[in-house]
Amino acid sequence: APPPTVRLLDATEATAMRRSRDEARAKRLEASRVAPRGPKALEAALATLDEADAVAVALLVAGILEKPDAEERRRLRVENDAFRRDLSGDAAVAALYALGFERRIDGADEVLLLVEPDPMADLDRWSAWFDTLKANRATVDAAVAARGWTGAVEARRRRE
């Protein structure tokens, strides 16, 4: 069979494609700003997760608690293959928003970021943030256990 032909976009098509991409990005940013947050939103989001998403969320929260100052654990590139595989579904993203993640643009990257308060500037605020993170982990772990998925979390933890 002959190789497929590649057609270059003309300027109008390229502009329309960029505009469409930018509009979709703006909608996702707005959805992040208005997404429900907090314990009730987290419980509701966790109830809709499938096993793979719940395991990914549980491991993410545990990893952040292990090293809360490690931004690489709190910064998720939306275009990253692992993110797309493990956390990109609507239910998983809703759980991330409920946990406090915010969608942001960082250079060319679209990221979900859990912002850590500066403990040097305001230790009380940081302590409250960390206590909330611990409470959220307990909520996630309880939801995973209630659905019988604790073994799946442990198995994946061993693989990673």
Coordinates of all heavy atoms in Angstrom, one line a residue, residues 27-67:
K27 N -11.7 26.2 29.4 CA -12.8 25.6 30.0 C -12.3 24.7 31.1 O -13.0 24.6 32.2 CB -13.6 24.7 29.0 CG -14.5 25.6 28.1 CD -15.3 24.7 27.1 CE -16.1 25.6 26.2 NZ -16.8 24.8 25.2
R28 N -11.2 24.0 30.9 CA -10.7 23.1 32.0 C -10.2 23.9 33.2 O -10.4 23.5 34.3 CB -9.6 22.2 31.4 CG -10.1 21.1 30.5 CD -9.0 20.1 30.1 NE -7.8 20.7 29.5 CZ -7.6 20.9 28.2 NH1 -8.6 20.6 27.4 NH2 -6.5 21.4 27.8
L29 N -9.6 25.1 32.9 CA -9.1 25.9 34.0 C -10.3 26.4 34.8 O -10.3 26.5 36.0 CB -8.3 27.1 33.4 CG -6.9 26.7 32.9 CD1 -6.3 27.9 32.2 CD2 -6.0 26.2 34.0
E30 N -11.4 26.8 34.1 CA -12.6 27.3 34.8 C -13.2 26.2 35.6 O -13.6 26.4 36.7 CB -13.6 27.9 33.8 CG -14.8 28.5 34.5 CD -14.6 29.6 35.5 OE1 -13.5 30.2 35.4 OE2 -15.4 29.7 36.4
A31 N -13.3 25.0 35.0 CA -13.8 23.9 35.8 C -13.1 23.6 37.1 O -13.6 23.3 38.1 CB -13.8 22.6 34.9
S32 N -11.7 23.8 37.0 CA -10.9 23.6 38.2 C -11.2 24.7 39.3 O -11.3 24.3 40.4 CB -9.4 23.7 37.8 OG -8.6 23.8 38.9
R33 N -11.5 25.9 38.8 CA -11.8 27.0 39.8 C -13.1 26.8 40.5 O -13.2 27.1 41.7 CB -11.8 28.3 39.1 CG -10.4 28.9 38.8 CD -10.5 30.3 38.3 NE -10.7 30.4 36.9 CZ -9.7 30.3 35.9 NH1 -8.5 29.9 36.3 NH2 -10.0 30.4 34.7
V34 N -14.1 26.2 39.8 CA -15.4 26.0 40.5 C -15.7 24.6 41.0 O -16.8 24.4 41.5 CB -16.5 26.5 39.5 CG1 -16.3 27.9 39.1 CG2 -16.6 25.5 38.3
A35 N -14.7 23.7 40.9 CA -14.9 22.3 41.3 C -15.1 22.3 42.8 O -14.5 23.0 43.6 CB -13.7 21.5 40.9
P36 N -16.0 21.4 43.2 CA -16.2 21.2 44.7 C -14.9 20.7 45.4 O -14.1 19.9 44.8 CB -17.2 20.1 44.8 CG -17.9 20.0 43.4 CD -16.8 20.5 42.4
R37 N -14.7 21.2 46.5 CA -13.5 20.9 47.3 C -13.9 20.5 48.7 O -15.0 20.7 49.1 CB -12.6 22.2 47.5 CG -12.2 22.8 46.2 CD -10.8 22.4 45.8 NE -10.1 23.3 44.9 CZ -10.2 23.1 43.6 NH1 -11.0 22.3 43.0 NH2 -9.5 23.9 42.7
G38 N -13.0 19.8 49.4 CA -13.3 19.5 50.8 C -13.7 18.0 51.0 O -13.9 17.3 50.1
P39 N -14.0 17.7 52.3 CA -14.3 16.3 52.7 C -15.5 15.7 52.0 O -15.5 14.6 51.5 CB -14.5 16.4 54.2 CG -13.8 17.6 54.6 CD -13.9 18.6 53.5
K40 N -16.6 16.5 51.9 CA -17.8 15.9 51.3 C -17.6 15.7 49.8 O -18.0 14.7 49.2 CB -19.0 16.8 51.5 CG -19.5 16.8 53.0 CD -20.7 17.6 53.2 CE -21.0 17.5 54.7 NZ -22.3 18.0 55.0
A41 N -16.9 16.6 49.1 CA -16.6 16.5 47.7 C -15.7 15.3 47.5 O -15.9 14.6 46.5 CB -16.0 17.8 47.2
L42 N -14.8 15.1 48.4 CA -13.8 14.0 48.3 C -14.6 12.7 48.4 O -14.4 11.7 47.6 CB -12.7 14.1 49.3 CG -11.7 12.9 49.3 CD1 -11.0 12.9 47.9 CD2 -10.6 13.2 50.4
E43 N -15.4 12.6 49.4 CA -16.2 11.3 49.6 C -17.1 11.0 48.4 O -17.2 9.9 47.9 CB -17.1 11.4 50.8 CG -16.3 11.4 52.1 CD -17.1 11.6 53.4 OE1 -18.3 11.7 53.3 OE2 -16.5 11.7 54.4
A44 N -17.7 12.1 47.8 CA -18.6 11.9 46.6 C -17.7 11.4 45.4 O -18.1 10.5 44.7 CB -19.3 13.2 46.3
A45 N -16.6 12.1 45.2 CA -15.7 11.7 44.1 C -15.2 10.3 44.3 O -15.1 9.5 43.3 CB -14.6 12.7 44.0
L46 N -14.8 9.9 45.5 CA -14.2 8.6 45.7 C -15.3 7.5 45.4 O -14.9 6.4 45.0 CB -13.7 8.4 47.2 CG -12.5 9.3 47.5 CD1 -12.2 9.2 49.0 CD2 -11.3 8.8 46.7
A47 N -16.5 7.8 45.7 CA -17.6 6.8 45.5 C -17.8 6.5 44.0 O -18.3 5.5 43.7 CB -18.9 7.3 46.1
T48 N -17.3 7.4 43.1 CA -17.5 7.2 41.7 C -16.2 6.5 41.0 O -16.3 6.2 39.8 CB -17.8 8.5 41.0 OG1 -16.7 9.4 41.1 CG2 -19.0 9.1 41.6
L49 N -15.1 6.4 41.8 CA -13.9 5.9 41.2 C -14.0 4.4 40.9 O -14.5 3.6 41.7 CB -12.7 6.1 42.1 CG -12.3 7.6 42.3 CD1 -11.1 7.6 43.3 CD2 -12.0 8.3 41.0
D50 N -13.3 4.0 39.8 CA -13.2 2.5 39.6 C -11.9 2.1 40.4 O -11.2 3.0 41.0 CB -13.1 2.2 38.1 CG -11.9 2.8 37.4 OD1 -10.9 3.2 38.0 OD2 -12.0 2.9 36.2
E51 N -11.6 0.9 40.4 CA -10.5 0.3 41.2 C -9.2 1.0 40.8 O -8.4 1.4 41.7 CB -10.4 -1.2 41.1 CG -9.3 -1.8 41.9 CD -9.2 -3.3 41.9 OE1 -10.1 -3.9 41.3 OE2 -8.3 -3.8 42.4
A52 N -8.9 1.0 39.5 CA -7.6 1.6 39.1 C -7.4 3.0 39.5 O -6.3 3.4 39.9 CB -7.5 1.4 37.5
D53 N -8.4 3.8 39.3 CA -8.4 5.2 39.7 C -8.2 5.4 41.2 O -7.4 6.2 41.7 CB -9.6 6.0 39.3 CG -9.7 6.3 37.8 OD1 -8.7 6.2 37.1 OD2 -10.8 6.5 37.3
A54 N -8.9 4.6 42.0 CA -8.8 4.6 43.5 C -7.4 4.3 43.9 O -6.9 4.9 44.8 CB -9.9 3.7 44.1
V55 N -6.9 3.2 43.3 CA -5.5 2.8 43.7 C -4.5 4.0 43.4 O -3.7 4.3 44.2 CB -5.1 1.5 42.9 CG1 -3.6 1.2 43.1 CG2 -5.9 0.4 43.5
A56 N -4.7 4.6 42.2 CA -3.8 5.7 41.8 C -3.9 6.8 42.8 O -2.9 7.4 43.2 CB -4.0 6.1 40.4
V57 N -5.1 7.2 43.1 CA -5.3 8.3 44.1 C -4.7 8.0 45.4 O -4.0 8.8 46.1 CB -6.8 8.7 44.2 CG1 -7.1 9.7 45.3 CG2 -7.3 9.3 42.9
A58 N -4.9 6.8 45.9 CA -4.4 6.4 47.2 C -2.9 6.4 47.2 O -2.3 6.9 48.2 CB -4.9 4.9 47.6
L59 N -2.3 6.0 46.2 CA -0.8 6.0 46.1 C -0.3 7.4 46.0 O 0.8 7.8 46.6 CB -0.3 5.1 45.0 CG -0.5 3.6 45.2 CD1 -0.1 2.9 43.9 CD2 0.3 3.1 46.4
L60 N -1.0 8.2 45.3 CA -0.6 9.6 45.1 C -0.6 10.4 46.5 O 0.4 11.0 46.9 CB -1.5 10.3 44.1 CG -1.3 11.8 43.9 CD1 0.1 12.1 43.3 CD2 -2.4 12.4 43.1
V61 N -1.7 10.2 47.2 CA -1.8 10.9 48.5 C -0.8 10.4 49.5 O -0.1 11.1 50.2 CB -3.3 10.7 49.1 CG1 -3.4 11.3 50.5 CG2 -4.3 11.4 48.2
A62 N -0.6 9.1 49.5 CA 0.5 8.5 50.4 C 1.9 9.0 50.0 O 2.6 9.4 50.9 CB 0.5 7.0 50.3
G63 N 2.1 9.1 48.7 CA 3.4 9.7 48.3 C 3.6 11.1 48.7 O 4.7 11.5 49.1
I64 N 2.6 11.9 48.6 CA 2.7 13.3 49.0 C 2.9 13.4 50.5 O 3.8 14.2 50.9 CB 1.4 14.1 48.6 CG1 1.4 14.2 47.0 CG2 1.4 15.5 49.2 CD1 0.0 14.7 46.5
L65 N 2.2 12.6 51.3 CA 2.4 12.6 52.7 C 3.9 12.2 53.1 O 4.4 12.7 54.1 CB 1.4 11.7 53.4 CG 0.1 12.4 53.8 CD1 -0.9 11.4 54.3 CD2 0.4 13.4 54.9
E66 N 4.5 11.3 52.4 CA 5.8 10.8 52.7 C 6.8 12.0 52.5 O 7.8 12.1 53.2 CB 6.2 9.7 51.7 CG 5.6 8.4 52.1 CD 5.9 7.3 51.0 OE1 6.8 7.5 50.2 OE2 5.2 6.3 51.1
K67 N 6.6 12.8 51.4 CA 7.5 13.9 51.1 C 6.7 15.1 50.7 O 6.6 15.5 49.5 CB 8.5 13.6 50.0 CG 9.5 12.5 50.4 CD 10.5 12.3 49.3 CE 11.4 11.2 49.8 NZ 12.4 10.9 48.7

